[in-house]
Amino acid sequence: MTISQCLTPRARAALALGRGLGAVPAPGLVLGGILGLQGGAALATGLYPVVGPAGVVTLRLAVAALVLTALWRPRIRGDRTTLGIAAAAGTLLAAHHLAYYEAVARLPLGAATTLEFLGPFAIALCGSRRAPDLVWAGLAATGVLLLGGTGTALDAAGVVCAAGAGCCWGGYILTGKRLAERGPDGSGLALAVTWGALLSLPYGIAQAGTRLLDPATLAVAAAVAVLSSVVAYTCQLEALRRLTPRVFGVLASLEPAIGALIGLLFLGQHLAVLQWAGIAAVGLASVGAARGEGAAGAQDAGDH
């Protein structure tokens, strides 16, 4: 009898999932996470009139917590360091979701995602001492100005929420990297999402009340949770095991463009030409910073 035959069905499923993710290149995992996040965000807009952004966040995290806990069966009496990191990651997730979904309720999806992306972009540039990176930072700033200064007017509260979501997302990349290094499976992610769901619960209840229990709403929320949390964060956690936070932040440069395209195709959210140029500028700045970092690292290795 093989080892896999001795495992329970849940353990075999988890093992198969781990092997499947391991066969996907890290950039593919980042792309899968982006598609899950943006697809779920677009789908969630239909729930805003019913339960509001906070209600969407509560349902999304609660359903995701149930799925991830059933899959990974995390141990609450685990290593205190791991529990602390999971709590920090869950807090950042909850804060990010609440801010980001409030932003998406007020801004086009592409604009909200571009502003949110400044968090990962800051991670990509963090610690750099090279003069060319100032050029890329300036290009990113120009992109933000183009996004907010022309075409469709952007709601001020939405801009603030998107910027706050960016700060939380940058913090989650750093914390998520530590969480991914604590174990080979998704038990840490399950703990983080469960804690985030508990933190968001009071806000969701205050905004939506008993509407959170409507069967039709729960069905859509389950789809949002699977796309935006289960699929997206599982892919991202696996990618963070293989990548540095800087490289992960750079690969996430596709997110603003994908968000804008999904908003255009599925939500009918149109942006002006200069606003599209702003989105492209932010992505180009991130790619440029990454290539410059890679060239500098290769040169340093050659010097040694």
Side-chain angles (χ1 to χ4, degrees):
M1 182 178 292
T2 63
I3 295 177
S4 61
Q5 291 175 327
C6 298
L7 299 175
T8 64
R10 185 195 66 82
R12 286 198 295 269
L15 181 61
L17 176 61
R19 288 175 176 173
L21 291 174
V24 180
L29 290 170
V30 176
L31 178 60
I34 291 172
L35 289 172
L37 281 170
Q38 296 305 308
L43 185 61
T45 57
L47 293 177
Y48 289 165
V50 181
V51 296
V56 172
V57 171
T58 296
L59 290 174
R60 168 184 166 176
L61 289 177
V63 173
L66 291 174
V67 173
L68 290 170
T69 298
L71 179 61
W72 298 113
R73 301 286 180 88
R75 295 181 179 180
I76 299 178
R77 296 181 180 180
D79 174 43
R80 289 187 177 181
T81 302
T82 300
L83 292 176
I85 296 173
T91 300
L92 288 167
L93 277 180
H96 167 267
H97 288 6
L98 289 168
Y100 180 67
Y101 276 79
E102 289 287 352
V104 171
R106 295 170 168 80
L107 302 174
L109 186 59
T113 303
T114 300
L115 293 170
E116 178 219 22
F117 173 70
L118 293 180
F121 178 72
I123 297 298
L125 287 179
C126 184
S128 176
R129 299 176 181 176
R130 301 181 307 110
D133 284 338
L134 295 177
V135 176
W136 301 122
L139 180 60
T142 301
V144 173
L145 291 176
L146 287 174
L147 185 67
T150 57
T152 305
L154 300 183
D155 179 82
V159 170
V160 172
C161 288
C167 293
C168 293
W169 193 235
Y172 174 77
I173 291 174
L174 297 176
T175 308
K177 174 65 175 177
R178 294 186 61 194
L179 186 63
E181 293 171 344
R182 301 296 299 184
D185 58 21
S187 58
L189 177 62
L191 289 172
V193 173
T194 300
W195 178 245
L198 291 174
L199 291 178
S200 68
L201 187 60
Y203 299 96
I205 293 176
Q207 191 167 85
T210 57
R211 295 193 301 276
L212 293 172
L213 302 178
D214 177 71
T217 300
L218 287 173
V220 178
V224 172
V226 170
L227 281 173
S228 295
S229 294
V230 178
V231 172
Y233 292 143
T234 298
C235 288
Q236 289 173 344
L237 194 73
E238 181 62 29
L240 282 167
R241 288 194 177 96
R242 310 184 206 172
L243 303 171
T244 65
R246 180 192 296 269
V247 174
F248 181 92
V250 168
L251 289 174
S253 62
L254 286 173
E255 187 166 0
I258 290 175
L261 285 173
I262 289 177
L264 175 64
L265 295 175
F266 297 101
L267 301 177
Q269 296 176 340
H270 296 275
L271 296 174
V273 173
L274 288 179
Q275 289 178 310
W276 280 101
I279 291 173
V282 174
L284 179 61
S286 180
V287 173
R291 295 188 63 180
E293 177 65 21
Q299 183 178 359
D300 291 342
D303 292 341
H304 291 297

